[in-house]
Structure formats: C-alpha cells, structure tokens
C-alpha cells in the first residue's frame, strides 16, 4: 500500500467526484533517467511540458470523462498498492497539470474549488515578476519557419564535419592568442573605457544573438521546435533570448546536453574567428570590435553560461548529465524534507531523491546554488547602484522584501497554521525560534578574530637605485646580476658616439683659442681678456664632457648585492640620462613596505593592534614576526613597487593613464614593518607578500556591519 500519511487527505472530497483528463492535443514521450522511466507530456498548442514518473503516468492516463478521480485512484490502488500515489499526491499532481494547461474538465465551473491553490500561484507570479526586474523577457517572433528552411545548413553545421572544423579553428585561435598573450592582456585594461563601451555592447549583442541561434540550430537538428525568440532585459541591457524547452522531450540525455551547450560552443567558435581578425588587423574599429567579441565570448562562457549554479546553460547540462530532471525544484524540496523530517519531526515527509547518491547531489546543489544566487544578485545590485543609485536602492529593497521579509512571514505562517505540523507544532516552533536565537547570539555575542591584510614588498633597509649620469647605448654588462660588489665596482659600460664628437670639437676649439691667445700676446694685448674667458669656458666644457665620458662606465655607489634582472635585455638599447638600471642591496637587515587602503587605515589609528606578522608569497607556511612598525601619517599615491598594482599582477587598483603602474587609483597609507629573520625563508629585496594585523576580537555581526558601512561610504558617499 501507499505510505501511511500520504494515502489519505482531508481535501480529498473536493476532487474525488470530478471527471478530468488530459487535453487531446497532449503528446507523450518516454525518457530514462538513472535507469528509471519518466514520461514527458507535451502540448504543442501552448508549448507546455511536464514530466511524470511511471506511477503518476499510470494514474493520469486512466483519467477521462467516463470515470471520477476517486474511481481512477481506487483502480490504481487495487492494481499496484505499493506504487499508487496517495490522495495528497493526486491533488498536487492535478493542480500542477492544471497550471501547465495540460488538463481539461467536463465541469469547468467547479474547477475553482478543485484548485484552491490558485491564489498562492498568483502570489508566486507577482513575486517572480518583481524579482525579474533584472531579467525581464519580451517574446517577439516565432522562428520555426525560418529554421525549417535552414534545415540543410543546420545538418551540415551540426555534424562530424562541423565538429572537426570547430576543433581546428579553436585550436588555431588558442595558438594565436598564446603567441600574442602580452598584447591581449594589455588591451584588456581599456575594456571598460568610455570610448570602448559602444563597441563592447555591439559585440555583446552579436555574440548573444549567435548564442541563441546556436541553441535553436541544435534543437532543430534533433527534432525539436523553437517557437519563441525575443528580447531579455538583463540588468536593463537588451539582449536576445530563445525558448528551447522542446529539448526536454528528447530521449537521449546527450542530445539534451548538446542543446544546452550549443550556445557556449557557438560563442567559443565566434571567439576563435574574432581572434583571427584581431591578430590580422591594426588599431581601429574592426580590431577593437573583434577583441571585444573575443573577450565577451570567453568571459560569459566561463563565468555565466558554464556555471551550473545559475539557471543558465550549465545548469541544464548538469541536470541532464546527472540524470536528475527539475534539479533546482527537487533540490529545494529535498532540503525542505530534511528540515521537516529531522528538525521538525514530521515523519510523513518524503524526499524526491530515489537514492543516497541523488540525495547527496540535491543537498549540495541546493545549498551552493542558494548561496551563489545571493552573491550574484548582490553583485548585480552594487553594479546597478554604481550607475543609478536610486534604481539600485529600489532593487535592493525588492530583494530584501522578496528574500527576507516575505520568506520570514511565510515561515511564521507555516509554523503556526500548516496542517503538516499539526502533531509536532510545538517542536517545530521551538526549533525554528531556537535556531534564529542561536544564530543571532552566535553572530552578535561570540567574539571572532578580527584581522585585515595589507599587500606589500620586502625591502632592504639599505639600498640605492642605480641610474646612469650620462646617456648612451648599453654596450656591455660588466657584472652579472646577483653578484656582490664593492663601492666603485664597474657595473655597466655605455657608449655615446655623439659625446666623442663633442669632445673632439671641444679640443679643437681649445687649440684654436690657444693659438689666438699667442697671437694676442704678440700683436694686440687688448684682445687678450675675451680670449682667456673663452678659453676658460672651453676648459669647463672639456671637463664636463670628460666627466660624462667617465660616467659612461656605471659604477656601484655602495657595497652590496647588484640586483638587475632586466638589464641583460637592455644591452644594445639607448638609455636616457637617469634611467633605472638596477639596485645595490645590502644583505644585512630588511623591512616590509605595506600599502593600507583608506578604509582599513581607521583600524590602524583607532583600533588596538595585538599582533602583526608577514607572509611572503610562495612561502605562506612561514610567518615572519614584526619587531616594530611605523605608519607614515599622510596619504600617498605612488606604490613602493609595481608588483603591488594591477598592471604588475597585484591587487591594488592603479591609474590606467600611468604607464609605470606605480600611481594608485586611490590614495593610501604606507607602513614600514621591521622583520625578524626566520629559518627557511629567503630574504630577497622585492619579494611581495602581505602584512597581517590582528585587532581586538569582535563578533561577526559587528565586523560585517563595519565592512558594510565602509562599502556604502566608499562607493556611494552615504
């Protein structure tokens, strides 16, 4: 027999006497998921789909105008007492079929009593529309006739030959990008520049249009139909979309997965073609448009479409590959079952999972997708608020109401009036209230470590920058980088042919002036004084030129280790006067120069610092003690090393207009921390790492509120 508690329902009298059945236009297809049989109901008239298990399908197919719901249910109970659906399941099944427009009744006037949950569905629709303020869809056309005419082309594209061409193009494009990787990375810095936004949006529209046609082509190739294409306002940005739900009826899960991945496959192919155009064109509109399309196709595929935690392409691919249909809905039902059964004590609750493995996947997906959706929506709200503050506040209010106030209200109503908790209501209310009290107490009362980190670089206390006092071509590297040198040791030799010519000209002028001086002594003593002044000027020039020639040999200004990893590449190039060539580093003592943002600087001046330690990149397992630190009490804008900025692979935002990568986008405070030596840690000038400060312990709730206030003040000046 059916499980106790599911067999009978108090609402059964409302549906037992009705005579209902499937619409005559409904078609049925059989599918296999994890070795189990499912049936897909499809009504071509309204393009609605619905999946049923065999026991539910056996019940539904017996419905008709000649028998009541109760007669059909009793017949199913007699035939298969262990598998027949219970009365509560029958009510839910009929309700869902009615909402999907797959059910008809001989007495439509009585259907209002049968489906009393209609008002709840309307509430869900209203809430969904409020949330869809960021994902609003407008259907525009039916592309089915166009796809039928393109069937020969579709068969050619979606074939082994098309797959071979795709692989060859993508492999060649990867090689092109790898060969020009530095150029590609440099160009990404200006992807959000104002002058590039129009081309970025044009590339986005082209990519997403081809993406949707990719879904439609593959869906049509395997016998599906596409009747809806339109425009979706994704964060108020118009983008195309299409409806490929007909792929749900495909028997092969690989065909369904291929339809889900067709958009990403198309984007990668377009990115490959764009890479060829980008590599073969010079700076200009076509070059920039190709790069934008290549960038968009790559980023959107990896971050959005390929992510299974959002209900985009990756979600449907994962659902098909795991053989778990309706993955998100069933995951939510499974999590609800866990709470009702193990926390609230409702023993008649049942999970939609058919095995422990499926229950594991549903649990993991339900938790991760919920967390990820909150993170993504929060990021979208912040992004919109940066552009339109009032609109961002409105979206935030809608999300707080939809995700906070409404669920809390529904949860309270559920605890107080749900018939499922009639026998365990005291336990459910106690558990629910206790959970919120414990979580609030845990967050507001329990102290947690309070730390913040500042990026920085290791510096020798005594070091000098080596520059050239005379311009010239770098002719020879006299001392390799990494060698210990003494003061005055020649490091580099430069050559300057123009300097030699100037010296020869100055010497000739001196000889000429000396001859003029001798002539003046014999013939006209009145001309002697101007000649001697000219001679003094020439002697000074010769002395300066001689000093410049001596400066062509760059020497160490102090003893230490000669550090110049890039100087070998400078051999044969022209070095302007004052060019940075390297550093002479003393190996005695080191300090750590850290950069602290203005948001975190308040903790330095107000909070109590209990401990400070340094972790060097590449040796995170070793903590270096700090003997003392000094805070430079004024704001700075130039970083101590380009390795700390975005252009050098660091995390500090830098100005895109500064080619050196040293000018920070926002002012910061600098800290010098004196380091203790530690075994196993190499002390080298220029090594990057992080300085971690430990403050007084505070509860997590107050730490989060502090971070939130800093975020609001920094981004919106509120």
């Amino acid at each position: 027999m059916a499980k106790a508690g599911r067999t009978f329902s108090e609402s059964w009298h409302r549906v037992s006497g009705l005579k209902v059945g499937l619409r005559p236009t409904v078609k049925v297809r059989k599918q296999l998921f994890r070795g189990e049989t499912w049936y897909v109901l499809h009504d071509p008239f309204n393009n609605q789909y619905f999946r049923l298990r065999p026991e539910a399908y056996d019940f539904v197919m017996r419905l008709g105008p000649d028998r009541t719901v109760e007669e059909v249910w009793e017949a199913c109970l007699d035939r298969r007492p262990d598998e027949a659906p219970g009365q509560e399941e029958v009510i839910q099944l009929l309700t869902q079929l009615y909402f999907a427009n797959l059910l008809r009744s001989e007495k439509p006037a009585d259907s209002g009593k049968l489906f009393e949950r209609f008002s709840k569905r309307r509430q869900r629709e209203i809430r969904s529309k409020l949330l869809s303020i960021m994902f609003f869809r407008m259907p525009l056309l039916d592309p089915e006739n166009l796809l039928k005419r393109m069937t020969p082309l579709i068969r050619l594209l979606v074939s082994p030959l098309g797959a071979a061409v795709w692989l060859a193009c993508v492999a060649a494009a990867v090689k092109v990008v790898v060969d020009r990787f530095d150029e590609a990375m440099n160009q990404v810095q200006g992807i959000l520049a104002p002058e590039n936004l129009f081309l970025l949006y044009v590339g986005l529209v082209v990519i997403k249009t081809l993406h949707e046609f990719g879904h439609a082509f593959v869906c049509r190739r395997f016998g599906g139909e596409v009747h809806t294409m339109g425009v979706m306002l994704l964060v108020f940005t118009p983008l195309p979309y299409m409806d490929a739900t007909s792929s749900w009826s495909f028997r092969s899960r690989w065909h369904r997965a291929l339809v889900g991945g067709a958009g990403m496959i198309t984007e990668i192919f377009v990115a490959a073609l764009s890479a060829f155009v980008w590599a073969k064109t010079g700076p200009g509109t076509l070059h920039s448009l190709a790069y934008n399309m290549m960038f968009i196709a790559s980023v959107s595929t990896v971050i959005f479409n390929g992510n299974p935690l959002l209900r985009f392409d990756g979600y449907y691919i994962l659902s098909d590959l795991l053989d778990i249909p309706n993955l998100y809905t069933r995951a939510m039902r499974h999590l609800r079952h866990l709470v009702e059964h193990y926390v609230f004590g409702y023993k008649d609750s049942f999970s939609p999972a058919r095995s422990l493995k499926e229950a594991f996947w549903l649990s993991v997906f339900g938790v991760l997708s919920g967390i990820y959706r909150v993170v993504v929506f929060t990021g979208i709200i912040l992004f919109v608020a940066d552009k339109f503050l009032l609109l961002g506040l409105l979206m935030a209010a809608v999300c707080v109401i939809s995700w906070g106030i409404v669920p809390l209200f529904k949860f309270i109503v559920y605890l107080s009036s749900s018939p499922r908790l009639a026998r365990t209501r005291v336990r459910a209310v106690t558990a629910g209230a206790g959970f919120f009290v414990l979580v609030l107490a845990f967050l507001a009362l329990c102290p947690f470590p309070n730390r913040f980190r500042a990026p920085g670089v290791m510096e020798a206390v005594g070091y000098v920058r080596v520059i050239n006092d005379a311009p010239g071509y770098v002719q020879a590297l006299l001392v390799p980088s990494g060698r210990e040198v003494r003061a005055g040791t020649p490091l580099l030799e430069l050559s300057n042919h123009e300097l030699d010519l100037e010296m020869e000209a100055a010497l000739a002028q001196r000889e000429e002036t000396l001859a003029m001086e001798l002539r003046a002594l014999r013939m006209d003593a009145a001309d002697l004084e101007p000649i001697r002044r000219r001679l003094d000027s020439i002697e000074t020039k010769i002395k300066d030129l001689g000093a410049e020639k001596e400066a062509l040999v760059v020497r160490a200004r102090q003893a230490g280790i000669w550090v110049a990893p890039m100087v070998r590449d400078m051999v044969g190039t022209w070095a302007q006067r004052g060019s940075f060539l390297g550093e002479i580093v003393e190996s005695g003592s080191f300090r750590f120069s850290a950069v602290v943002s203005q948001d975190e600087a308040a903790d330095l001046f107000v909070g109590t610092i209990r401990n400070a330690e340094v972790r060097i990149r590449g040796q995170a397992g070793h903590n270096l003690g700090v003997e003392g630190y000094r805070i430079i009490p004024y704001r700075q804008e130039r970083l101590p090393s380009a390795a700390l900025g975005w252009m050098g692979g660091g995390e500090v935002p830098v100005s895109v207009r500064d080619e050196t990568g040293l000018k920070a986008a926002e002012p910061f405070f600098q800290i010098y921390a004196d380091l203790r030596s530690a075994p196993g840690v190499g002390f080298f000038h220029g090594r990057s790492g992080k300085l971690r400060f430990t403050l007084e312990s505070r509860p997590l709730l107050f730490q989060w509120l502090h971070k939130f206030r800093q975020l609001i003040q920094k981004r919106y000046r509120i």
Side-chain angles (χ1 to χ4, degrees):
M1 293 182 63
K3 295 181 180 180
R6 294 169 49 196
T7 303
F8 303 103
S9 172
E10 297 177 354
S11 303
W12 182 247
H13 65 280
R14 298 184 178 182
V15 304
S16 58
L18 293 175
K19 296 180 179 180
V20 296
L22 293 178
R23 292 181 178 273
T25 57
V26 174
K27 298 180 180 180
V28 181
R29 290 189 181 182
K30 182 187 293 186
Q31 289 182 344
L32 291 177
F33 290 97
R34 293 183 175 271
E36 296 183 355
T37 302
W38 286 67
Y39 293 90
V40 177
L41 306 183
H42 174 215
D43 187 357
F45 181 75
N46 53 31
N47 202 34
Q48 292 292 325
Y49 291 84
F50 196 82
R51 288 191 178 101
L52 294 175
R53 288 192 174 274
E55 55 270 22
Y57 174 74
D58 183 64
F59 171 81
V60 170
M61 296 308 296
R62 295 176 181 274
L63 294 173
D66 56 335
R67 289 191 292 181
T68 64
V69 171
E70 184 168 16
E71 291 174 349
V72 175
W73 177 71
E74 290 177 350
C76 291
L77 198 62
D78 292 338
R79 292 181 68 253
R80 297 181 179 179
D82 295 332
E83 299 178 0
Q87 292 179 353
E88 183 66 26
E89 292 175 307
V90 168
I91 296 176
Q92 294 179 3
L93 177 60
L94 294 177
T95 303
Q96 293 170 352
L97 291 174
Y98 177 76
F99 289 156
N101 294 323
L102 298 174
L103 201 65
R104 67 172 182 174
S105 173
E106 296 297 328
K107 297 181 179 180
D110 297 335
S111 60
K113 295 182 180 180
L114 170 63
F115 306 107
E116 61 179 2
R117 302 176 188 180
F118 178 74
S119 59
K120 295 182 179 180
R121 177 179 180 271
R122 296 297 299 172
Q123 294 175 1
R124 290 196 300 268
E125 289 181 351
I126 294 174
R127 182 181 61 186
S128 177
K129 289 180 179 179
L130 289 175
L131 289 176
S132 67
I133 187 174
M134 293 178 284
F135 303 98
F136 185 72
R137 292 187 173 187
M138 295 181 292
L140 297 179
L141 56 92
D142 184 348
E144 182 61 21
N145 292 330
L146 175 63
L147 295 176
K148 287 181 179 179
R149 290 194 294 268
M150 299 178 65
T151 298
L153 176 61
I154 294 174
R155 290 183 179 275
L156 179 63
L157 294 177
V158 187
S159 65
L161 176 61
V165 173
W166 185 91
L167 286 173
C169 287
V170 171
V174 170
K175 183 179 184 305
V176 169
V177 175
V178 170
D179 292 341
R180 308 181 64 170
F181 184 75
D182 292 339
E183 182 180 351
M185 290 296 100
N186 291 334
Q187 195 166 345
V188 77
Q189 300 294 331
I191 199 71
L192 294 178
E195 61 272 12
N196 187 61
L197 291 181
F198 177 74
L199 292 178
L200 185 68
Y201 178 70
V202 171
L204 180 64
V205 171
V206 173
I207 286 290
K208 292 308 174 184
T209 300
L210 296 174
H211 174 105
E212 299 303 324
F213 270 103
H215 286 304
F217 279 14
V218 178
C219 185
R220 180 65 189 171
R221 175 65 177 84
F222 296 123
E225 297 180 355
V226 179
H227 290 283
T228 303
M229 292 193 75
V231 175
M232 174 178 64
L233 296 180
L234 181 60
V235 196
F236 307 103
T237 303
L239 293 174
Y241 85 97
M242 56 82 64
D243 184 5
T245 53
S246 62
S247 62
W248 292 0
S249 62
F250 294 171
R251 288 187 174 89
S252 172
R253 64 172 176 172
W254 297 107
H255 288 175
R256 297 192 300 269
L258 188 58
V259 172
M264 293 184 288
I265 294 172
T266 303
E267 286 194 17
I268 294 175
F269 184 72
V270 175
L273 298 180
S274 301
F276 297 144
V277 176
W278 169 74
K280 296 297 183 181
T281 56
T285 302
L286 183 60
H287 180 80
S288 299
L289 180 60
Y291 183 82
N292 285 319
M293 293 177 64
M294 180 175 64
F295 177 83
I296 292 169
S298 305
V299 171
S300 63
T301 297
V302 174
I303 297 180
F304 293 101
N305 290 317
N307 193 323
L309 298 179
L310 294 175
R311 300 186 73 175
F312 293 126
D313 298 344
Y315 163 79
Y316 296 104
I317 295 174
L318 178 65
S319 178
D320 290 323
L321 295 182
L322 292 179
D323 266 349
I324 304 178
N326 304 324
L327 179 59
Y328 178 79
T329 303
R330 300 180 70 203
M332 296 299 103
R333 288 176 55 196
H334 177 69
L335 294 179
R336 177 177 177 177
H337 156 72
L338 294 179
V339 174
E340 287 185 340
H341 185 80
Y342 296 102
V343 179
F344 295 165
Y346 179 53
K347 301 304 181 182
D348 294 328
S349 174
F350 64 95
S351 171
R354 295 287 177 166
S355 63
L356 291 177
K357 185 176 182 180
E358 186 173 329
F360 169 79
W361 282 113
L362 293 178
S363 301
V364 172
F365 179 84
V367 173
L368 293 182
S369 64
I371 296 174
Y372 191 76
R373 286 167 70 90
V374 172
V375 172
V376 169
F377 273 82
T378 302
I380 292 175
I381 291 173
L382 293 176
F383 173 79
V384 173
D386 287 342
K387 308 297 181 183
F388 313 100
L389 180 58
L390 293 179
L391 185 58
L393 293 176
L394 175 62
M395 293 168 55
V398 171
C399 290
V400 169
I401 294 173
S402 301
W403 295 344
I405 298 177
V406 172
L408 180 60
F409 176 76
K410 293 178 65 176
F411 181 70
I412 294 174
V413 172
Y414 165 75
L415 289 179
S416 61
S417 61
S418 175
R420 299 168 66 89
L421 305 179
R423 298 183 179 181
T424 60
R425 195 173 311 280
V426 175
R427 174 177 171 176
V429 172
T430 303
F435 173 78
F436 282 106
V437 170
L438 288 177
V439 170
L440 184 61
F442 177 77
L443 295 177
L445 300 179
C446 297
F448 275 80
N450 185 14
R451 303 185 180 97
F452 75 90
R453 295 171 176 81
V457 293
M458 184 181 292
E459 295 178 347
V461 174
Y463 77 95
V464 295
R465 294 167 59 90
V466 177
I467 61 175
N468 57 317
D469 294 328
Y473 288 96
V474 180
Q475 186 173 0
L477 176 63
L478 303 179
V479 178
S481 176
R483 295 284 183 86
E484 188 170 355
V485 297
R486 297 181 179 180
T489 301
L491 303 175
L492 291 170
E493 183 178 355
L494 283 70
S495 63
N496 190 335
H497 184 61
E498 294 181 358
L499 192 61
D500 295 335
L501 295 177
E502 289 183 18
M503 177 63 79
E504 292 178 3
L507 292 175
Q509 290 176 359
R510 185 176 66 175
E511 293 297 329
E512 179 186 14
T513 306
L514 288 174
M516 293 171 61
E517 183 182 23
L518 291 175
R519 180 181 177 182
L521 288 172
R522 292 192 304 267
M523 300 180 59
D524 191 357
D527 295 335
L528 189 61
E529 186 64 25
I531 292 174
R532 287 181 175 175
R533 287 200 301 269
R534 181 172 185 264
L535 182 61
D536 291 341
S537 175
I538 294 174
E539 291 289 353
T540 302
K541 183 178 180 181
I542 292 174
K543 183 178 179 181
D544 292 340
L545 291 174
E548 282 197 43
K549 290 194 66 174
E550 290 182 3
L552 291 176
V553 178
V554 181
R555 301 177 181 273
R557 300 184 181 183
Q558 70 174 35
I561 299 177
W562 164 234
V563 180
M566 304 299 295
V567 75
R568 187 178 298 276
D569 298 332
M570 296 178 62
V571 175
T573 62
W574 177 264
Q576 296 286 350
R577 184 192 305 272
S579 299
F580 173 71
L581 303 175
E583 295 173 333
I584 303 295
V585 179
E586 292 183 359
S587 57
S589 58
F590 288 82
R591 68 185 181 188
F592 192 81
S593 178
V595 172
V596 180
S597 66
Q598 298 183 73
D599 296 334
E600 295 173 334
D603 295 327
L604 293 176
F605 297 108
V606 178
T608 301
I609 298 176
R610 293 188 173 183
N611 186 32
E613 55 188 5
V614 172
R615 288 188 177 183
I616 301 300
R617 192 178 302 277
Q619 291 183 308
H622 298 80
N623 295 335
L624 302 180
V626 174
E627 295 180 348
Y629 59 88
R630 299 180 303 281
I631 304 174
I632 307 302
Y634 58 87
R635 299 187 302 177
Q636 302 190 44
E637 294 184 350
R638 295 192 65 81
L639 299 173
S641 172
L644 301 180
W646 281 354
M647 295 180 65
E651 60 186 63
V652 180
V654 295
S655 174
V656 295
R657 297 181 178 86
D658 181 29
E659 296 181 355
T660 64
L662 292 174
K663 183 176 176 58
E666 296 180 354
F668 60 87
F669 290 90
Q670 191 168 4
I671 297 177
Y672 291 121
D674 300 322
L675 301 177
R676 301 192 193 105
S677 59
V681 179
F683 279 59
F684 301 106
H685 181 78
R687 294 192 68 180
S688 59
K690 288 190 177 182
L691 174 61
R692 186 177 72 177
F693 287 100
T694 302
L695 308 175
E696 291 183 347
S697 298
R698 297 180 64 192
L700 288 177
L701 181 62
F702 298 105
Q703 293 186 36
W704 293 344
L705 290 175
H706 178 62
K707 295 294 183 182
F708 180 73
R709 286 196 300 268
Q710 287 182 336
L711 175 67
I712 297 300
Q713 292 173 358
K714 178 180 178 181
R715 297 176 73 112
Y716 312 117
R717 303 294 189 267
I718 297 179

